[in-house]
Amino acid sequence: MRESKMDKENGVNVRVTRARARALKEPSRNEQAVVVGLKDVTNISAKSHKRTHTSNFQKKEGSKKRKTNVASEDDVSLQVWTIKEDAKKELAKDSSTSTMTKKESLQVQPSVENSLLSMQDTLNSPNTEINLICEKLSASVGLGIVDIDSKLRDSPIWTSYAPDIYTNIHVRECERRPLANYMETLQQDITPGMRGILVDWLVEVADEFKLVPDTLYLAVNLIDRFLSQRLITKRRLQLLGITCMLISSKYEEICAPGVEDFCVITDNTYSRQEVLKMEKEVLNLLHFQLAVPTIKTFLRRFIQVAQTSSKVAQADLEFLANYLAELALVEYSFLQFQPSKIAASSVLLARWTLNQSEHPWNPTLEHYTNYKASELKTTVLELIDLQLNTKRCRLNAVREKYQHQKFNSVANLSPKPVEYLF
């Protein structure tokens, strides 16, 4: 018996007869579909160009069929057998690939899935990370606490970082505070009164040079930290004062006054070389740690909190709180209080001075300052003494400054008794 053309082309040496073809196993549903697809392909005539949607291996075998002219039943049976084998291989390959993909996904899922989903959410929504960081504020709103950052121009950015910033500042204010008793334990030639005179004069210097308030607060902080570690004579106290003002100006100001300007302000009592030598001494002693939380650092934040629920003019509240804080800056006795406590007490007393119809402290202020009203009692009473000038202090630079009309003359205001508030 002779072999057919298809047998020779496919390298098959076994003759497939009609009986052998009938003896083959009946194809499954998927295989029947393959056969139907094959028959559709082989029955396409030159006049018909209708296309069928088949799988890759169906298209491949269909193209082979179009090249042949064999139409006998034996040849078709052989082709069915070949396609069956190819189909099994393809199905086995697809099944293996699918199994590997599932295994890999199962390995990735428990360890990385959450991270990938979080990363995808962050990319899809820029505010996702911000919302997570602000969970604390969101929870506080339910307790009647106002989110003070929600109305800011760049509120998403500011809201996300502000709590962490001020938490860090609260920690650092304890780390870099001057000693509260250095006059008694270290200094021998200077007194608290001399320090008060120096700071009072620096208030005038800052006003003369039109320096920002942060420069004044930082200068006083540098002075107290230096005096807490190094003995100094009375003659060099003013030199220390202008040097610390020079350093803080370089740190805070856009256009800081020069060394010669500070020499002139002292009527050339000190030379340029003396100022520069003192500058090196101060910076080396303090290890160049100039990023220090001061009263002004907290006061700016606490005033913002107070203004969210204030019924008085915002300018008056800000001016009066700054006035009380600068009065405390001159007094040596206020070194015993933390800068944040002085700032919070200044806001409480300012609110009470401007409006006695309601309690000056509320849950929002307590939340953002981390102080209850009862914890501020001692500091507030000390501030009232300064505001009323019960000790008849002659250092009037701060009072004269805030008696000016540009500060709404807040230095002329007097508080009501506050004992029952605590």
Side-chain angles (χ1 to χ4, degrees):
M1 298 176 65
R2 62 181 183 85
E3 297 178 350
S4 67
K5 292 182 179 181
M6 184 59 67
D7 293 339
K8 293 179 179 180
E9 289 178 2
N10 291 280
V12 179
N13 297 321
V14 179
R15 172 69 174 178
V16 180
T17 63
R18 290 193 181 96
R20 185 177 181 85
R22 283 194 297 270
L24 292 174
K25 183 181 178 180
E26 290 295 329
S28 63
R29 291 184 178 180
N30 292 335
E31 295 168 347
Q32 289 175 1
V34 172
V35 174
V36 172
L38 179 62
K39 289 183 179 180
D40 292 340
V41 171
T42 55
N43 291 331
I44 293 176
S45 63
K47 297 181 181 179
S48 175
H49 298 281
K50 182 178 178 180
R51 297 181 180 179
T52 57
H53 298 280
T54 59
S55 61
N56 292 333
F57 70 90
Q58 288 173 336
K59 292 179 181 178
K60 182 177 179 181
E61 295 299 328
S63 63
K64 289 183 179 180
K65 284 293 298 177
R66 282 194 294 270
K67 295 179 181 179
T68 62
N69 296 320
V70 180
S72 64
E73 187 176 351
D74 293 345
D75 297 336
V76 171
S77 300
L78 178 59
Q79 292 168 6
V80 169
W81 179 81
T82 305
I83 291 174
K84 283 173 57 179
E85 295 297 322
D86 292 341
K88 290 180 181 179
K89 292 180 181 179
E90 288 290 339
L91 290 174
K93 181 178 180 180
D94 293 341
S95 177
S96 176
T97 304
S98 176
T99 303
M100 292 180 62
T101 304
K102 289 181 180 179
K103 289 182 178 180
E104 291 174 357
S105 64
L106 290 175
Q107 293 175 356
V108 172
Q109 184 174 359
S111 60
V112 189
E113 183 181 14
N114 295 332
S115 300
L116 293 177
L117 291 175
S118 177
M119 187 181 301
Q120 183 177 3
D121 292 340
T122 302
L123 293 174
N124 293 335
S125 177
N127 293 327
T128 301
E129 185 178 0
I130 294 174
N131 293 334
L132 292 175
I133 298 175
C134 299
E135 285 182 353
K136 182 179 179 181
L137 287 177
S138 300
S140 301
V141 173
L143 302 175
I145 298 173
V146 180
D147 183 0
I148 65 171
D149 303 312
S150 59
K151 295 182 180 180
L152 294 180
R153 182 175 58 183
D154 295 329
S155 58
I157 298 176
W158 180 241
T159 304
S160 63
Y161 292 108
D164 292 335
I165 290 173
Y166 281 93
T167 298
N168 181 49
I169 290 175
H170 273 286
V171 174
R172 287 170 53 199
E173 73 167 331
C174 299
E175 295 175 350
R176 299 179 183 178
R177 284 181 60 194
L179 297 177
N181 59 347
Y182 65 79
M183 288 290 183
E184 296 79 12
T185 59
L186 179 61
Q187 301 301 326
Q188 301 176 1
D189 198 29
I190 60 175
T191 62
M194 294 179 183
R195 176 197 175 274
I197 293 173
L198 175 64
V199 176
D200 188 74
W201 175 70
L202 289 177
V203 172
E204 297 180 348
V205 172
D207 192 50
E208 178 71 21
F209 287 144
K210 301 186 185 307
L211 305 178
V212 297
D214 303 77
T215 302
L216 175 64
Y217 283 92
L218 179 58
V220 176
N221 176 273
L222 298 178
I223 291 171
D224 289 325
R225 288 166 61 197
F226 184 89
L227 294 177
S228 298
Q229 304 178 52
R230 184 68 55 85
L231 186 67
I232 198 172
T233 61
K234 179 169 55 177
R235 178 189 174 279
R236 301 180 70 228
L237 183 60
Q238 189 180 19
L239 174 62
L240 174 64
I242 62 169
T243 302
C244 291
M245 182 68 80
L246 172 65
I247 296 171
S248 61
S249 297
K250 292 180 179 179
Y251 186 82
E252 296 286 356
E253 300 291 334
I254 297 176
C255 298
V259 179
E260 293 79 4
D261 296 323
F262 286 102
C263 294
V264 171
I265 206 71
T266 63
D267 293 332
N268 293 315
T269 304
Y270 308 100
S271 64
R272 174 186 174 86
Q273 288 72 24
E274 287 178 304
V275 174
L276 294 177
K277 182 180 179 180
M278 177 60 77
E279 182 182 23
K280 294 179 181 179
E281 185 177 352
V282 172
L283 291 174
N284 288 325
L285 182 65
L286 302 181
H287 305 290
F288 289 81
Q289 294 178 347
L290 305 181
V292 183
T294 63
I295 299 174
K296 185 63 178 178
T297 306
F298 296 99
L299 190 61
R300 185 177 288 110
R301 177 72 165 174
F302 297 165
I303 289 175
Q304 179 188 356
V305 177
Q307 287 175 343
T308 59
S309 58
S310 179
K311 295 181 180 180
V312 300
Q314 295 184 356
D316 290 343
L317 177 61
E318 182 176 358
F319 293 151
L320 184 54
N322 279 284
Y323 166 62
L324 296 172
E326 287 190 28
L327 286 177
L329 199 63
V330 180
E331 288 294 321
Y332 167 76
S333 60
F334 274 80
L335 290 178
Q336 63 181 307
F337 304 117
Q338 295 179 359
S340 59
K341 181 172 285 189
I342 298 175
S345 301
S346 300
V347 171
L348 187 151
L349 184 56
R351 284 173 57 86
W352 177 246
T353 302
L354 296 172
N355 182 22
Q356 290 85 32
S357 62
E358 62 180 4
H359 198 283
W361 216 240
N362 54 44
T364 301
L365 281 163
E366 182 177 329
H367 170 74
Y368 285 101
T369 63
N370 292 328
Y371 290 110
K372 298 180 180 179
S374 58
E375 296 174 326
L376 303 176
K377 180 178 179 179
T378 304
T379 312
V380 169
L381 294 178
E382 292 287 337
L383 281 175
I384 290 178
D385 290 340
L386 291 180
Q387 188 177 10
L388 298 176
N389 197 16
T390 57
K391 298 179 181 180
R392 302 299 175 187
C393 180
R394 297 181 180 180
L395 303 176
N396 294 321
V398 178
R399 289 185 175 85
E400 291 176 358
K401 173 183 176 180
Y402 284 92
Q403 284 175 350
H404 199 277
Q405 188 60 38
K406 71 177 181 180
F407 295 111
N408 293 346
S409 303
V410 294
N412 298 327
L413 299 176
S414 298
K416 301 294 182 181
V418 296
E419 285 79 2
Y420 78 93
L421 293 177
F422 306 102

